[in-house]
Amino acid sequence: MVKHVFTIVIPVYNEKDNLLRLEKALLEFVKTTSVASKVLFVNDGSTDGSQSLLTEICYRNSEFSFIAFSENFGLSAALKAGFDYVDTELLGYIDADLQTTPKDFNLLLPYVEDFDLVTGVRVNRKDAYVKALSSKIANAFRKLFTHDDMDDTGCPLKIIRTSYAKKIPMFSGLHRFLPALILLQNGRVKQVPVMHFSRIAGKSKFGLSNRILGPFIDCFVFLWMKKRYINYKLVK
């Protein structure tokens, strides 16, 4: 029996039109990477028939599985549920829209021995101008508040040591602060350039307000939590 080392967590919310393409891309990665890998979909209350397709995909691929929410709880909740469910040493995060590619995990994996979170930095972004600008503004806010020195915290391609991921506190908006939340644990973080692609199918789940206003409010939540964060290590 294969001992898996790496689990890719993929939040899914109304991405039916992307799932077959995603299945193909994930299979190519799982079958060719040198790291024993598996896939965990987290269905965040999809209403477009995504669950039926996820069931079929997982049935025909033994390395794939899913968990499903009763309703839509949001990206942060989906990520936290995935992190809590993972049982491998390493976990990855990628969005279901394929604006980043699973094969770029191979660019991040060489750094996992020395770092506790390795995150992609999207180069030559293919987003619309307004989306790219709002993301840039939101990232500047986060950088100012968190001092994490990350250039692209919103990049949906990351690898995290699972022991660190499971200690991340649960709050709405946590997906925007993953590097900072690892640094809070005295973890080590690394940035690596990755490819970025245009969205071919489905719709973005984030608009202008929750790309700028949401992150701005969440920065104050992060500051409050940072002052009260408890970080401990066991010796026995």
Side-chain angles (χ1 to χ4, degrees), residues 86-99:
V86 164
D87 61 359
T88 53
E89 178 184 349
L90 299 170
L91 64 84
Y93 157 46
I94 189 171
D95 279 348
D97 58 17
L98 282 178
Q99 287 197 256

Side-chain angles (χ1 to χ4, degrees), residues 12-141:
V12 175
Y13 178 58
N14 292 346
E15 294 285 2
K16 181 181 178 181
D17 293 338
N18 281 314
L19 291 180
L20 292 179
R21 293 173 51 243
L22 179 60
E23 176 191 17
K24 181 179 178 181
L26 289 166
L27 274 174
E28 289 176 356
F29 170 78
V30 169
K31 290 182 177 180
T32 59
T33 187
S34 60
V35 178
S37 305
K38 59 183 179 177
V39 174
L40 174 65
F41 297 103
V42 183
N43 182 7
D44 184 20
S46 296
T47 57
D48 67 341
S50 288
Q51 182 56 59
S52 296
L53 195 48
L54 284 176
T55 301
E56 294 176 14
I57 290 171
C58 293
Y59 179 77
R60 61 178 171 250
N61 296 292
S62 60
E63 311 297 328
F64 293 16
S65 62
F66 70 84
I67 55 177
F69 286 169
S70 60
E71 58 188 87
N72 177 238
F73 287 101
L75 177 57
S76 292
L79 281 178
K80 187 65 169 66
F83 293 175
D84 290 344
Y85 198 81
V86 164
D87 61 359
T88 53
E89 178 184 349
L90 299 170
L91 64 84
Y93 157 46
I94 189 171
D95 279 348
D97 58 17
L98 282 178
Q99 287 197 256
T100 51
T101 174
K103 71 179 181 181
D104 275 357
F105 279 123
N106 285 319
L107 300 177
L108 276 55
L109 281 165
Y111 299 97
V112 297
E113 290 297 322
D114 298 316
F115 296 92
D116 305 300
L117 177 145
V118 187
T119 181
V121 177
R122 293 167 287 188
V123 295
N124 299 319
R125 288 187 63 172
K126 306 300 182 182
D127 290 324
Y129 175 76
V130 172
K131 181 178 179 181
L133 179 61
S134 61
S135 294
K136 187 174 182 179
I137 294 171
N139 194 68
F141 277 143

Side-chain angles (χ1 to χ4, degrees), residues 2 13 26 42 50 53 56 59 64 81 89 125 137-138 143 157 169 171 176 185 192 196 200 210 213 235:
V2 176
Y13 178 58
L26 289 166
V42 183
S50 288
L53 195 48
E56 294 176 14
Y59 179 77
F64 293 16
E89 178 184 349
R125 288 187 63 172
I137 294 171
K143 204 169 184 178
L157 192 81
F171 68 95
R176 302 183 177 109
Q185 301 177 47
V192 178
H196 190 247
I200 293 177
N210 55 17
L213 182 59
V235 294

